[in-house]
Amino acid sequence: MYRSHSCGELRASHINTEVTLAGWVQKSRDKGFMIWVDVRDRYGITQLIFDEDRTPKEIIERAKTLGREFVIQVTGTVIERSSKNPKMKTGDVEVLVSKLEILNAAKLPPFTIEDETDGGEDIRMKYRYLDIRRNPVKDSLIFRHKVSMEVRKYLSDQEFIEVETPYLIKSTPEGARDFVVPSRMNEGQFYALPQSPQTFKQLLMVGGMDKYFQIVKCFRDEDLRADRQPEFTQIDCEMAFVEQEDVLNVFEGLTRHLLKEINGVEVAEFPRMRYDDAMRLYGNDKPDIRFGMEFGELNEVTQHKDFGVFNNAELVVGIAVPGGNSYTRKEIDKLIDWVKRPQVGALGMIYCRVNEDGTFKSSVDKFYDQEDLAKWAEITGAKVGDLICVLSGETNKVRAQLSALRMELAERLGLRDPKVFAPLWVIDFPLLELDEETGHYHAMHHPFTSPKPGQLELLDSDPGSVKANAYDLVLNGNEIGGGSIRIHDKKMQATMLKHLGFSEEEAKAQFGFLMDAFEYGAPPHGGLAFGLDRLVAILGGQETIRDFIAFPKNNSGRDVMIDAPAFIDEAQLKELNIKLDIQK
Amino acid sequence: MYRSHSCGELRASHINTEVTLAGWVQKSRDKGFMIWVDVRDRYGITQLIFDEDRTPKEIIERAKTLGREFVIQVTGTVIERSSKNPKMKTGDVEVLVSKLEILNAAKLPPFTIEDETDGGEDIRMKYRYLDIRRNPVKDSLIFRHKVSMEVRKYLSDQEFIEVETPYLIKSTPEGARDFVVPSRMNEGQFYALPQSPQTFKQLLMVGGMDKYFQIVKCFRDEDLRADRQPEFTQIDCEMAFVEQEDVLNVFEGLTRHLLKEINGVEVAEFPRMRYDDAMRLYGNDKPDIRFGMEFGELNEVTQHKDFGVFNNAELVVGIAVPGGNSYTRKEIDKLIDWVKRPQVGALGMIYCRVNEDGTFKSSVDKFYDQEDLAKWAEITGAKVGDLICVLSGETNKVRAQLSALRMELAERLGLRDPKVFAPLWVIDFPLLELDEETGHYHAMHHPFTSPKPGQLELLDSDPGSVKANAYDLVLNGNEIGGGSIRIHDKKMQATMLKHLGFSEEEAKAQFGFLMDAFEYGAPPHGGLAFGLDRLVAILGGQETIRDFIAFPKNNSGRDVMIDAPAFIDEAQLKELNIKLDIQK
C-alpha cells in the first residue's frame, strides 16, 4: 500500500490523523524555513508543508531537491491550514510531513502540466502521457468512460445484448477504403478491418439475437480531414421486428437518458424534420436548431426585375441576421469576403438592412423597391434592426454556402451555446446519391438500407427521388447517429446491388453470405450507430474530438508518440508473402 | 410495432387478452382440423393454435404452408391450454390465432435448430447465423454479455476508468507474431494490431490515470491450436502506486464478485501457491485444485535399489489414484499405453496397487519390498484401495507427463466438476525462461515485468533463478489471468532489455517512447489481464471457448461464413505500395 488516501480526499474531518499520500509534485514554494509542496494525483491536489521547527532536517533537505513532476510518497499529519483555499476541495487542510520518499525523479516536462498549457498540439501529442496529466484531457477521458458506462447500462436494461463481432473480416469495395491485413496462413489473401460491423449485426438479427449493441472500434483508410481519425468508435445497435418508429423511440430514449444523467438536462420530445425540409430551411442535412435564422427562398419575389444575377440563378435564398443592421459597411464587406473564400465559394452576397424606422436599404436598390424588399423581410422573417443576407446560384451549392454563413454568423452572435442541447431527427433521406464526378448513383446510407414502401418502382425511372427508411440523429448541428431499416429480402437486396452497379458475380462474392442468410428466415430489422467520439465531445461541450481520445493520430494517420506506422523486417514481409512496391 | 409481447412472456394472467407475437416457426403439428405451431424468439417459445371452429379458413390454409424457421407475425387471443406443459415458462397458455402474416419464408435449415443439433462443427460455422438461434449458443453469448457488464460495473465502482487504446500501433519483434496493416499514407510502413495494450496502459499510469481497465480485442498471428483464436478478448487492467498484494486483492475481489453474481457461488479467500511449489506438487503452473492427487517425489525412496530406470532418472514422481486398485490389469495396461502416446510422451509407467488388506503389489516387486512400497504410499498419500502411478525421467518432462495423467484420471473419475470453482493464485514466477532450442533466455511474462527486490544481481550469474513480481490467477486448471508489477525505472528497463538480447539501438527503436516516459515521473505500477473468452467459458461450465464467441475463426484462421481472408484487387495492393510475393 503506497498510500492511505488519495490527494483529493483530505478534509477538515481528517485533522490530526496520520496519512500517507503518493503523487506528483505540482509545484513547490521554498521560503527557507518553510517549504510548501503541492502533491497531485488523479483525484486532486493536497498541500504538503515542511517546516524547520517540526520536520526532521534530512526531510527538509530532501524536499528542497524536489522538482516539478517528481513522484513522491509522504507520510505526515493532517493539520488545519492557516490560510484556507476555498477553491480547492482539500483547501482546509495541509499535511505536515514526517517522511518523504522520492519514488521517481522527473526531467523537466517539455510543457507545463496546467489546465492552460504552453505546449502546442505537436509536442502535446508526442508526450501524450504528460498531456493526459492535465485536467482538461484527464477529465475528458473520465467523462468518456462515464458516457460509455451509461450507454451500456441503458441499453442492457432495455434487453440489448452486447455481442463482440470480429475485427479480421473481408474487404468490400463498397463505401470507404478498407485497411487490410495480410494473412500469413492463407497465402496471398487479406483480412480487412471493419468499417462497421454492419453485416455482422444484420446476421445477428437473422440469428435471433433480437436486440444487439456494441461499443466498437471501426476503421476507414480515408484521407484525414481535421478531426477525423483512421480508427474511431461507434455505438452500434440493431433490433429485429421493428419499424422506423420503434428505432427512433429507443434511441431517443437513450439520448434523453444521457442528456439527463450526464448533463442534467431534460429535453422534450425530439423534433423530426424531413431531409428535404432540412435542406430547404437550413441548406444542411444536420441543421443546428439551437437558433433560428431559417432560409427564406426568394426566387418568386426577386426574379421579376432586371437583376440578371438573380434571374439566372436556380435558387435565390436569404437569411435574416438578428441585429445585423448594426454592422458597419466595412463589417458587411468583410462578410462578403468571407463567403467568397474558396472554402465557402460564393461569388458574392447581396444584403438588405432593415432600418429602425422600418425602411429597407439594400445593396441592390437599383433593382428592388421598398415593397420588394418588404417581401424579402417577410419571407426571411427579418425584423427591425436585422440584416438580410442573400446568396444565389445553383441550388446545392448555394444552400451549402448559405448554411456555412448561417453557422459562422451564429458563432459570432454567440448562438451556439455548448450548454444548450437541441437534438433533432432528420428522416426520409434519399436512398441514392448522385456522384457528380462519375455520374453514378451510390447508396447514401449503405446498400442494405430499404427504400420506403412502394418506391422501388422509381429506381429505374427516377432513382434520385426514391426515399429511404433512413434517419439521422442530429445534435447541435452535428450528426451524432444514423441508421435505417434494412432490406431483409434476398430479391430486394439483389435488385438494390444491381442498381448500385454490382454485377451478379460481384454481389455474390461480396455479400453472398448475407443474401444466403436472408433465405433462412430473416426478420424485419433495423438499427442505428452513434459516433461515440463526437457524441462524447458534444455532451462535453466541445467541438473537437481529440481530447476525448486517449491516443489520437495526426492528420497523416501517424501516432507521433510511439512513431507508428513504421518499417518492418524483410523477414516479416516474406512470411506474409508480400513485398514492398514503392513507386519511385 | 411488430409485436405486443415476446414469445417468452405470456402467462396465465394474460388469458383473454389479445396479443401480437412475431418470431420463428420452431415446429408445427397438423392434425387436419387443428394445427399447433410453436413460435420462437430470443425470449422463449409460445404455442399457437389454429382450429377449424374458431380460426378463419384462409388463416388455417396459410398456417398449413408454414415450414420450419419461417418468420411469422400472429395476432390472437391468449387462452388456457388444455394440457399444460410445466417445462415451458409459457406452458399454461396458448394463443388462438386470428391473424397470420408470413414476414419471410425460410429454406429448410441445413441442420436442426435444437439444443442437440445434427449439424457438425463445419456446417454450423458456415451457417453461424442459424447456429446462434440454438439455445446453447444464444445463451452463451447472453452469458458473456452479463459477465462483461458485471466486470465493467465492478471495476467502475472501484474507480477504474475504461480507456480505449489504439488498434493501429507499431510492430515489435518481442513476443508472438504481429498482424500488420500496410499504411497507404506512409509509404512502405506498417501498423501492427496490438497483442495487448501493454505499453499503452503503462503510459496511462505515467499519465496519472491511476486505475485503468479495458475490455479489448487483441491479436496474435500464431499457428492456431484447437481453442485458440487469432483475435481474442482481454480484460486489461493496470493500477498505479501498487504492490503485488494490492493487485491480487483487487482482482480476487473482482473474481469473487463474478462467482457470486454470475454463478451464485461464495468462495473463501483464494489460496496462493509459489510457482516452484505448483511445479513440484502438480507438475503444472496452472494446477486444478478441485481435487488432490498431489505429486509425491520418490527419488529418495527408490534410488537405493537395482532398478536402473529410476536410478538414472532426474526425477521419480508418483500420484495416488483414489480407488485405482479396482482397475483390472487390462485397464492399467491401457493407462500405460495412454501415457506412452506421443502427445504425452512417457517411456513407461510403474504402478503399485494398495490392496484392501494393506499389502502392496507393484509392477517392480523384483526391486522393491513391502517396506519400500509403504514409503511410496506414504509420500503419495495413497490409501487402501488406491493405485500409485509412477513416472520417471528428466524433471521438466516427467512433471508434464504426470500432470497430463493426473488430469486425465481426474476427468475419468469425475473430479473435474464444472459446477465447483477452485481459484488459485500462482505467485513468484521466474523472470526468465530458457528457450531450449536457441539456448537464449526470454521474458516468461513480458520484458516489462520487474524482478523481485534484490534479485537483479543474479541476472548475470544465474538468470534462471531470478524470481519476478509476476502472478497468475488459475481457475479449475486454467490460467484465466496473469500480470505483474512492472519496471518503472528507465535504467532497470534498459538492463532488462539488454539481458533479453536487445541491442541498445533496437531497445530504443522499439521501446524508446516507454523508456523516455519513465524519465518524466513514472509511478510504481502493475496490473493484470484476464482472458475473457476463457473466463466466460469456465464460469459457464464449459471447457471450449468457441460457443462463447459469436463469429469464431477455424484452425486456419478463416471465417468460413463470410469466407475471409480473401484476395483483394490489384489496385488496392498498388495503393498500399505492396505486391504479392508468393513462393512457388
Side-chain angles (χ1 to χ4, degrees):
Chain A
M1 280 289 226
Y2 274 90
R3 57 193 172 189
S4 62
H5 294 77
S6 80
C7 296
E9 203 174 340
L10 299 178
R11 300 286 182 277
S13 61
H14 293 95
I15 285 168
N16 289 328
T17 43
E18 192 182 76
V19 298
T20 301
L21 303 182
W24 287 263
V25 172
Q26 178 73 26
K27 63 175 182 209
S28 72
R29 277 169 302 149
D30 184 351
K31 298 271 174 196
F33 61 99
M34 221 176 246
I35 305 169
W36 288 273
V37 172
D38 280 355
V39 62
R40 184 198 71 231
D41 65 12
R42 184 183 115 195
Y43 312 94
I45 290 180
T46 300
Q47 181 166 295
L48 309 175
I49 181 166
F50 303 78
D51 145 358
E52 241 175 22
D53 294 337
R54 296 175 287 177
T55 310
K57 193 158 187 298
E58 74 273 17
I59 301 292
I60 297 249
E61 288 311 310
R62 200 175 298 155
K64 283 180 192 292
T65 70
L66 295 177
R68 266 165 51 193
E69 302 303 319
F70 273 45
V71 185
I72 59 171
Q73 181 188 37
V74 295
T75 299
T77 308
V78 183
I79 59 174
E80 191 174 357
R81 223 152 122 168
S82 50
S83 60
K84 300 196 173 43
N85 182 346
K87 283 187 202 147
M88 284 173 71
K89 293 180 294 173
T90 62
D92 285 349
V93 297
E94 56 194 356
V95 174
L96 179 65
V97 177
S98 56
K99 266 201 234 163
L100 165 65
E101 200 79 54
I102 297 175
L103 298 176
N104 217 341
K107 292 207 298 198
L108 193 70
F111 50 88
T112 54
I113 312 292
E114 304 276 358
D115 290 6
E116 296 290 330
T117 182
D118 56 357
E121 179 86 2
D122 289 351
I123 192 101
R124 285 175 46 213
M125 288 304 143
K126 183 165 164 53
Y127 297 92
R128 184 64 161 177
Y129 46 86
L130 298 179
D131 199 28
I132 290 173
R133 288 187 196 160
R134 296 172 50 240
N135 288 323
V137 182
K138 180 197 74 176
D139 292 343
S140 297
L141 296 178
I142 295 176
F143 184 81
R144 182 185 182 111
H145 166 67
K146 282 189 189 148
V147 173
S148 297
M149 283 297 291
E150 279 303 328
V151 168
R152 286 196 161 96
K153 190 173 169 308
Y154 185 87
L155 291 175
S156 190
D157 286 348
Q158 305 273 326
E159 295 194 291
F160 282 78
I161 303 295
E162 184 161 20
V163 179
E164 295 177 48
T165 52
Y167 278 80
L168 297 172
I169 64 166
K170 189 155 96 170
S171 190
T172 57
E174 186 274 323
R177 210 184 277 107
D178 287 318
F179 282 105
V180 298
V181 181
S183 167
R184 183 179 52 86
M185 287 205 279
N186 300 274
E187 204 176 62
Q189 299 183 46
F190 292 75
Y191 301 100
L193 300 178
Q195 295 183 30
S196 93
Q198 182 63 32
T199 48
F200 288 95
K201 69 176 175 175
Q202 292 193 242
L203 291 172
L204 286 171
M205 293 305 102
V206 176
M209 200 41 72
D210 206 65
K211 293 178 180 178
Y212 144 93
F213 84 101
Q214 189 183 189
I215 298 187
V216 61
K217 273 281 175 78
C218 301
F219 304 85
R220 275 182 209 172
D221 185 13
E222 291 299 299
D223 296 327
L224 301 171
R225 289 185 261 134
D227 230 27
R228 220 184 185 179
Q229 291 280 321
E231 49 178 304
F232 55 97
T233 307
Q234 263 183 212
I235 309 170
D236 193 48
C237 306
E238 197 79 2
M239 304 167 75
F241 298 113
V242 288
E243 290 156 342
Q244 172 170 308
E245 191 63 27
D246 304 311
V247 179
L248 299 196
N249 284 338
V250 167
F251 295 101
E252 184 163 326
L254 169 63
T255 311
R256 191 178 285 121
H257 175 82
L258 293 177
L259 286 168
K260 191 173 164 206
E261 292 299 317
I262 302 286
N263 297 86
V265 173
E266 299 261 10
V267 180
E269 201 176 322
F270 296 3
R272 297 183 187 183
M273 193 180 290
R274 295 177 54 247
Y275 169 87
D276 289 346
D277 293 332
M279 294 308 289
R280 187 172 50 79
L281 292 171
Y282 301 96
N284 199 313
D285 62 1
K286 42 179 197 284
D288 189 339
I289 58 165
R290 280 176 294 185
F291 54 96
M293 297 171 73
E294 290 179 3
F295 289 13
E297 298 193 347
L298 303 173
N299 292 37
E300 269 188 42
V301 298
T302 53
Q303 293 184 330
H304 58 298
K305 294 293 169 68
D306 287 339
F307 187 45
V309 174
F310 282 178
N311 290 347
N312 296 328
E314 191 182 358
L315 178 67
V316 182
V317 59
I319 50 172
V321 185
N325 188 31
S326 66
Y327 293 2
T328 63
R329 175 63 200 260
K330 211 170 151 187
E331 283 172 323
I332 293 178
D333 281 346
K334 271 198 180 161
L335 218 51
I336 295 174
D337 287 344
W338 191 90
V339 298
K340 285 163 91 174
R341 297 185 323 151
Q343 298 95 315
V344 182
L347 294 173
M349 184 183 92
I350 302 304
Y351 65 89
C352 171
R353 296 173 176 280
V354 189
N355 295 319
E356 295 304 318
D357 60 4
T359 62
F360 302 96
K361 175 81 193 83
S362 84
S363 55
V364 283
D365 280 353
K366 199 154 50 149
F367 301 105
Y368 299 99
D369 59 25
Q370 291 289 312
E371 203 178 319
D372 292 326
L373 298 174
K375 284 181 192 151
W376 294 20
E378 191 192 331
I379 291 169
T380 60
K383 292 186 191 61
V384 161
D386 289 356
L387 178 76
I388 304 170
C389 297
V390 183
L391 301 182
S392 61
E394 198 209 304
T395 301
N396 290 343
K397 282 186 185 158
V398 79
R399 279 177 171 169
Q401 291 157 5
L402 191 61
S403 172
L405 178 62
R406 175 177 175 271
M407 294 299 271
E408 173 66 18
L409 288 168
E411 190 68 49
R412 294 186 191 179
L413 291 165
L415 299 174
R416 307 195 64 198
D417 181 351
K419 296 256 184 297
V420 172
F421 294 97
L424 168 74
W425 286 110
V426 177
I427 57 173
D428 296 356
F429 269 79
L431 184 68
L432 303 172
E433 194 172 36
L434 186 66
D435 184 330
E436 309 234 330
E437 269 176 49
T438 64
H440 290 299
Y441 280 95
H442 59 83
M444 193 155 185
H445 189 48
H446 55 48
F448 315 110
T449 299
S450 65
K452 291 262 172 208
Q455 302 224 327
L456 204 57
E457 302 75 67
L458 293 172
L459 266 184
D460 285 315
S461 55
D462 187 7
S465 78
V466 177
K467 295 291 190 236
N469 287 313
Y471 33 80
D472 274 359
L473 182 53
V474 174
L475 184 57
N476 295 0
N478 294 279
E479 180 206 324
I480 57 165
S484 64
I485 300 298
R486 327 298 183 187
I487 296 167
H488 64 280
D489 176 80
K490 181 174 183 166
K491 252 196 218 146
M492 193 190 282
Q493 188 64 68
T495 304
M496 186 59 55
L497 289 172
K498 203 180 118 203
H499 271 92
L500 294 171
F502 286 82
S503 73
E504 215 166 301
E505 209 177 30
E506 285 168 338
K508 196 176 152 56
Q510 299 300 332
F511 303 113
F513 62 96
L514 184 66
M515 291 200 286
D516 287 349
F518 286 171
E519 291 197 299
Y520 286 101
H525 61 285
L528 183 138
F530 286 88
L532 180 66
D533 305 298
R534 183 152 313 281
L535 174 65
V536 168
I538 295 170
L539 294 178
Q542 305 286 325
E543 290 274 312
T544 56
I545 61 175
R546 217 165 264 200
D547 279 352
F548 293 86
I549 298 172
F551 301 102
K553 293 192 173 51
N554 74 9
N555 282 351
S556 316
R558 294 199 71 82
D559 181 326
V560 295
M561 181 185 70
I562 65 169
D563 197 23
F567 294 99
I568 63 175
D569 283 355
E570 201 58 43
Q572 229 171 329
L573 291 174
K574 199 155 194 100
E575 260 191 333
L576 296 170
N577 304 299
I578 56 173
K579 56 184 172 189
L580 297 186
D581 180 27
I582 309 273
Q583 270 81 45
K584 299 281 149 53
Chain B
M1 281 288 225
Y2 273 89
R3 57 194 170 189
S4 62
H5 295 76
S6 82
C7 296
E9 203 174 342
L10 299 178
R11 301 286 182 276
S13 60
H14 293 95
I15 285 168
N16 289 329
T17 43
E18 191 182 76
V19 297
T20 300
L21 303 181
W24 286 263
V25 172
Q26 178 72 26
K27 64 174 182 213
S28 71
R29 277 170 301 148
D30 185 350
K31 297 272 176 194
F33 62 98
M34 221 175 245
I35 305 169
W36 288 273
V37 172
D38 280 357
V39 62
R40 183 198 72 231
D41 65 12
R42 185 183 113 196
Y43 313 94
I45 289 180
T46 300
Q47 181 167 295
L48 309 176
I49 181 166
F50 303 77
D51 148 356
E52 242 176 23
D53 294 337
R54 296 175 288 177
T55 310
K57 193 157 187 297
E58 74 273 18
I59 302 291
I60 297 250
E61 288 310 310
R62 201 176 297 156
K64 283 180 191 292
T65 70
L66 294 178
R68 266 166 52 194
E69 302 303 319
F70 272 46
V71 185
I72 59 170
Q73 182 188 36
V74 295
T75 299
T77 308
V78 182
I79 59 175
E80 191 174 357
R81 222 153 123 167
S82 49
S83 59
K84 299 196 173 44
N85 182 346
K87 283 189 204 147
M88 285 173 70
K89 293 180 295 174
T90 62
D92 285 348
V93 298
E94 56 194 355
V95 174
L96 178 66
V97 177
S98 57
K99 266 200 232 165
L100 165 65
E101 199 78 53
I102 297 175
L103 297 176
N104 217 340
K107 293 208 296 198
L108 193 70
F111 51 87
T112 54
I113 312 293
E114 305 277 357
D115 290 6
E116 296 290 331
T117 182
D118 56 356
E121 179 87 2
D122 289 352
I123 191 101
R124 286 174 47 212
M125 287 304 144
K126 183 165 163 55
Y127 297 92
R128 184 63 161 176
Y129 46 86
L130 298 179
D131 200 27
I132 290 173
R133 289 187 195 160
R134 295 172 52 242
N135 287 324
V137 183
K138 181 196 74 177
D139 292 343
S140 297
L141 295 178
I142 295 175
F143 185 81
R144 182 185 181 111
H145 165 67
K146 281 188 190 148
V147 173
S148 297
M149 282 298 290
E150 279 303 328
V151 169
R152 286 196 160 97
K153 190 174 169 308
Y154 185 86
L155 291 175
S156 189
D157 285 349
Q158 304 273 328
E159 294 194 293
F160 282 78
I161 303 295
E162 184 161 19
V163 179
E164 296 176 47
T165 53
Y167 279 79
L168 296 172
I169 65 166
K170 188 156 95 169
S171 190
T172 58
E174 185 274 325
R177 210 183 278 108
D178 287 317
F179 282 105
V180 298
V181 181
S183 166
R184 183 178 53 86
M185 288 206 278
N186 300 273
E187 203 175 64
Q189 299 183 45
F190 292 76
Y191 301 100
L193 299 179
Q195 295 184 31
S196 92
Q198 182 63 32
T199 48
F200 288 95
K201 69 176 174 176
Q202 292 193 242
L203 291 173
L204 286 171
M205 293 306 102
V206 177
M209 199 43 70
D210 207 65
K211 293 178 180 178
Y212 145 92
F213 83 102
Q214 190 183 188
I215 298 187
V216 62
K217 273 281 175 77
C218 301
F219 305 85
R220 275 181 210 172
D221 184 13
E222 290 299 299
D223 295 329
L224 300 171
R225 290 184 263 134
D227 229 28
R228 220 182 184 181
Q229 291 281 321
E231 50 177 303
F232 54 98
T233 307
Q234 263 184 210
I235 309 171
D236 194 49
C237 306
E238 197 78 2
M239 303 167 74
F241 299 113
V242 288
E243 289 156 342
Q244 173 169 309
E245 191 62 27
D246 305 311
V247 179
L248 299 195
N249 285 338
V250 167
F251 295 101
E252 184 163 328
L254 169 63
T255 310
R256 191 178 285 120
H257 175 81
L258 293 177
L259 285 167
K260 192 174 164 206
E261 292 298 318
I262 302 287
N263 296 88
V265 173
E266 299 261 9
V267 180
E269 202 176 320
F270 296 3
R272 296 182 188 185
M273 192 180 290
R274 294 178 55 247
Y275 170 87
D276 289 346
D277 293 332
M279 295 308 290
R280 188 173 48 79
L281 292 171
Y282 300 97
N284 198 312
D285 62 0
K286 41 179 198 282
D288 189 339
I289 59 165
R290 278 176 294 185
F291 55 97
M293 296 171 72
E294 289 181 3
F295 289 14
E297 298 195 348
L298 304 173
N299 291 40
E300 270 187 42
V301 298
T302 54
Q303 292 185 331
H304 58 299
K305 295 293 168 69
D306 288 340
F307 187 46
V309 173
F310 282 179
N311 290 346
N312 297 326
E314 191 183 359
L315 179 68
V316 182
V317 60
I319 51 172
V321 185
N325 188 31
S326 66
Y327 293 2
T328 62
R329 175 63 200 261
K330 210 170 151 189
E331 284 173 321
I332 295 178
D333 281 347
K334 271 198 179 163
L335 218 51
I336 295 174
D337 287 345
W338 191 88
V339 297
K340 285 163 90 174
R341 296 184 323 152
Q343 298 94 315
V344 181
L347 294 173
M349 184 182 92
I350 303 303
Y351 66 88
C352 172
R353 295 172 177 280
V354 189
N355 295 319
E356 295 304 318
D357 60 5
T359 62
F360 302 96
K361 176 79 192 84
S362 83
S363 55
V364 283
D365 280 352
K366 201 156 45 155
F367 302 104
Y368 301 98
D369 58 23
Q370 291 289 311
E371 202 176 319
D372 290 327
L373 298 174
K375 283 181 192 151
W376 295 21
E378 191 192 332
I379 291 169
T380 59
K383 291 186 192 62
V384 161
D386 289 357
L387 178 77
I388 304 171
C389 297
V390 183
L391 300 182
S392 62
E394 199 209 304
T395 301
N396 289 343
K397 281 186 186 158
V398 79
R399 279 177 171 170
Q401 292 157 4
L402 191 61
S403 172
L405 178 63
R406 175 178 176 269
M407 294 300 271
E408 173 68 17
L409 288 168
E411 190 67 49
R412 295 186 191 181
L413 291 166
L415 300 174
R416 307 194 64 198
D417 180 351
K419 297 255 184 295
V420 172
F421 294 97
L424 169 74
W425 286 110
V426 177
I427 58 173
D428 296 357
F429 269 80
L431 184 67
L432 303 172
E433 193 172 35
L434 186 66
D435 184 329
E436 310 233 330
E437 270 177 51
T438 64
H440 290 300
Y441 280 95
H442 58 83
M444 193 156 184
H445 189 50
H446 54 51
F448 315 110
T449 299
S450 65
K452 292 260 173 209
Q455 303 224 325
L456 204 57
E457 302 75 65
L458 293 171
L459 265 184
D460 283 317
S461 55
D462 186 8
S465 78
V466 177
K467 294 290 189 239
N469 287 313
Y471 33 81
D472 274 359
L473 182 53
V474 174
L475 185 57
N476 294 1
N478 294 279
E479 181 208 322
I480 58 164
S484 65
I485 299 298
R486 327 298 183 186
I487 296 167
H488 65 280
D489 177 79
K490 181 174 183 165
K491 252 196 217 146
M492 193 190 283
Q493 187 64 69
T495 304
M496 187 59 54
L497 289 173
K498 203 179 120 204
H499 271 91
L500 295 171
F502 286 82
S503 73
E504 215 167 300
E505 210 178 27
E506 285 167 340
K508 197 176 151 57
Q510 299 301 332
F511 303 113
F513 62 96
L514 185 65
M515 293 199 286
D516 286 350
F518 286 171
E519 291 197 300
Y520 287 101
H525 60 286
L528 183 136
F530 286 88
L532 181 66
D533 305 299
R534 182 152 313 282
L535 175 65
V536 168
I538 294 170
L539 293 179
Q542 306 286 325
E543 290 275 312
T544 56
I545 61 176
R546 218 165 263 199
D547 279 352
F548 293 86
I549 298 171
F551 300 102
K553 293 192 171 54
N554 73 8
N555 283 350
S556 315
R558 295 198 69 82
D559 181 328
V560 294
M561 180 184 70
I562 65 169
D563 196 24
F567 294 98
I568 62 174
D569 284 355
E570 200 58 43
Q572 230 172 329
L573 292 173
K574 200 157 192 99
E575 259 191 334
L576 297 171
N577 304 298
I578 55 173
K579 55 184 170 190
L580 297 186
D581 180 26
I582 309 275
Q583 270 81 45
K584 298 284 146 55

